[in-house]
Amino acid sequence: MPSDKNIELTIRDGHESAPPKAAKKILDVAYDLFYRRGIRAIGVDEIVKRAGVTKPSLYRSFPSKDELAASYLRQYDLEYWERFDEAVAAYPGDPRAQIKAFLTRIGKRTQVADYRGCGMTNAAVEYPDHSHPARVVSEANKQELRHRLRAMAAAMGAQDPDTLGDGLLLLIEGAYISGQLFGLGGPAQSVARNADLLIEASLKK
Amino acid sequence: MPSDKNIELTIRDGHESAPPKAAKKILDVAYDLFYRRGIRAIGVDEIVKRAGVTKPSLYRSFPSKDELAASYLRQYDLEYWERFDEAVAAYPGDPRAQIKAFLTRIGKRTQVADYRGCGMTNAAVEYPDHSHPARVVSEANKQELRHRLRAMAAAMGAQDPDTLGDGLLLLIEGAYISGQLFGLGGPAQSVARNADLLIEASLKK
DNA sequence: TGACAATGTTACCGATCGGTACGATACATG
DNA sequence: CATGTATCGTACCGATCGGTAACATTGTCA
């Protein structure tokens, strides 16, 4: 589900001129394959074959497979915050409703066969080395998520905003993982309700 | 941290007689390597080298790398429920305290550099294919965890036991994942407190 | 000592891994 | 039209992947 916007930002840092058309096709295919089947599970040969290009084309646009994986995650990051900001924009000034909307959406997404969870989370599991290009992007995304959740917990008047923000983060990560572990009917479908219960219990009385 | 007990149960289904000594060394090394660096990241050559054995020895005890990975997870499963049952045994008849003890332990374990989360969860992320031998073991472990948590939620008098049990599962999975994502000082350290808040809010008034 | 199971050794297999050298081809601009 | 530039495809690289064949060696126990 990569969008067409901002592709150039994820390729070669956007410093070069117009990005080659092949690069977009490669990134689109890599996005789909990396997300659905895992980064380590996909070889560059399969990517170029499915993209209808050749291997040298890939290495002209991306310095390595690891960097291609990082580009995939940068694209994922863009779309992630788009979804997040949609939920925020839907309920201006009401962080509790924003969280509820975001988690309801996550809960729905998990209830589909072959749901694969969060690409960021999965990449971090695949690459425990903190210096790996893909993991760097992943960790930055999660740090940002933590910041936002803690800020929203504070804005909704939590007794201990950091604890509530972290609790929401745990529920979200749990939903990503259990969504792909249990499939339909799994625990992830209750993430929004559990989050709301936790919020209710964490507000200043 | 593989223990010496019950090894034979995870090798060749335990139907044969005494397990070869080489098999234990192989499984121990594979356990450590698979857990710390990931299954896909480790080749059989590295396993046999670190175990001080040869490749044919590995394939005499394990039919394939995939089955070796499954054996690793069966061993992990044994030790997992040992830890779980310890927490249960520490507070007989008090499921809420049992949960609290288990989650406190998880929270502590996550607060160490290079924490790698749950081997079961990680394996499921590495192998999205539901028919993979390693994933079969992983999914069975998670189903069992869900059963137990829902039963405990019912035993502690939750208004909606299935929702609370699933909520606890989400928090636990979130702790495993965020533990390896954030390292020291991450959200996982608050898993026990958040679980207790959620429990409090979920009990029949 | 004989017998057997377990392990070791060495060498090998085809497939795939990530990555590249190099010449051909399209294309825009003068 | 010519010329340079960028993208293309063919073919190839060494390394590693999971897995095996054939045979020598060890250790144990009767």
Side-chain angles (χ1 to χ4, degrees), chain B residues 130-190:
Chain B
H130 294 274
S131 68
H132 191 285
R135 180 160 186 135
V136 170
V137 180
S138 173
E139 288 186 359
N141 171 274
K142 295 304 181 186
Q143 294 283 359
E144 172 69 14
L145 178 59
R146 191 187 197 192
H147 276 138
R148 295 203 192 191
L149 291 174
R150 286 179 155 200
M152 291 167 87
M156 61 179 95
Q159 215 154 13
D160 183 347
D162 285 354
T163 294
L164 175 56
D166 284 356
L168 294 173
L169 180 45
L170 296 183
L171 287 173
I172 291 172
E173 292 298 330
Y176 289 145
I177 287 295
S178 69
Q180 63 180 301
L181 260 166
F182 291 86
L184 280 330
Q189 65 190 339
S190 70

Side-chain angles (χ1 to χ4, degrees), chain A residues 43-44 55-56 59 65:
Chain A
V44 291
K55 224 184 319 186
Y59 284 97
K65 183 200 172 183

Side-chain angles (χ1 to χ4, degrees), chain A:
Chain A
M1 90 174 28
S3 83
D4 290 22
K5 301 167 302 186
N6 305 112
I7 298 281
E8 55 279 7
L9 292 179
T10 69
I11 301 173
R12 290 254 189 222
D13 277 349
H15 285 315
E16 278 85 52
S17 45
K21 304 156 260 171
K24 179 192 179 306
K25 228 185 326 182
I26 291 167
L27 188 56
D28 279 359
V29 170
Y31 187 113
D32 180 59
L33 258 25
F34 283 163
Y35 175 68
R36 277 180 23 232
R37 317 231 312 259
I39 299 172
R40 293 200 114 111
I42 298 296
V44 291
D45 292 280
E46 183 161 0
I47 293 173
V48 299
K49 190 166 69 175
R50 301 269 275 251
V53 301
T54 58
K55 224 184 319 186
S57 277
L58 191 158
Y59 284 97
R60 270 175 218 118
S61 298
F62 306 91
S64 67
K65 183 200 172 183
D66 288 344
E67 282 301 329
L68 173 58
S71 292
Y72 143 60
L73 289 181
R74 279 189 284 271
Q75 181 64 25
Y76 194 99
D77 186 71
L78 258 38
E79 297 167 17
Y80 188 91
W81 298 121
E82 272 178 26
R83 289 193 294 268
F84 191 95
D85 290 338
E86 271 179 34
V88 169
Y91 299 92
D94 187 350
R96 184 168 178 177
Q98 293 165 352
I99 290 286
K100 186 172 182 177
F102 186 57
L103 291 227
T104 299
R105 179 169 189 163
I106 291 180
K108 282 215 183 85
R109 284 185 96 206
T110 65
Q111 295 308 113
V112 41
D114 298 319
Y115 173 71
R116 262 291 278 176
C118 173
M120 296 286 180
T121 302
N122 295 349
V125 170
E126 284 199 272
Y127 294 99
D129 180 0
H130 294 275
S131 67
H132 190 285
R135 180 159 187 136
V136 170
V137 180
S138 173
E139 288 186 359
N141 171 274
K142 295 303 181 185
Q143 294 283 1
E144 171 69 14
L145 178 59
R146 191 186 197 194
H147 277 137
R148 294 203 192 190
L149 291 174
R150 287 180 155 199
M152 291 167 87
M156 59 179 96
Q159 214 153 14
D160 182 348
D162 285 354
T163 295
L164 175 57
D166 284 358
L168 295 173
L169 180 44
L170 296 183
L171 287 173
I172 291 172
E173 292 299 330
Y176 290 144
I177 287 294
S178 69
Q180 64 180 301
L181 259 165
F182 290 87
L184 280 329
Q189 66 189 337
S190 71
V191 63
R193 182 163 6 164
N194 274 297
D196 213 58
L197 281 166
L198 182 61
I199 290 171
E200 185 63 40
S202 303
L203 296 186
K204 288 178 188 147
K205 55 178 176 306

Side-chain angles (χ1 to χ4, degrees), chain B residues 5 13 23 26 33 38 46 78 82 85-86 95 113 115 129 134 139 165 186 188 200:
Chain B
K5 301 166 300 186
D13 277 348
I26 292 166
L33 257 24
E46 182 161 0
L78 257 40
E82 271 178 27
D85 290 338
E86 270 179 35
Y115 173 71
D129 180 1
E139 288 186 359
E200 186 63 40

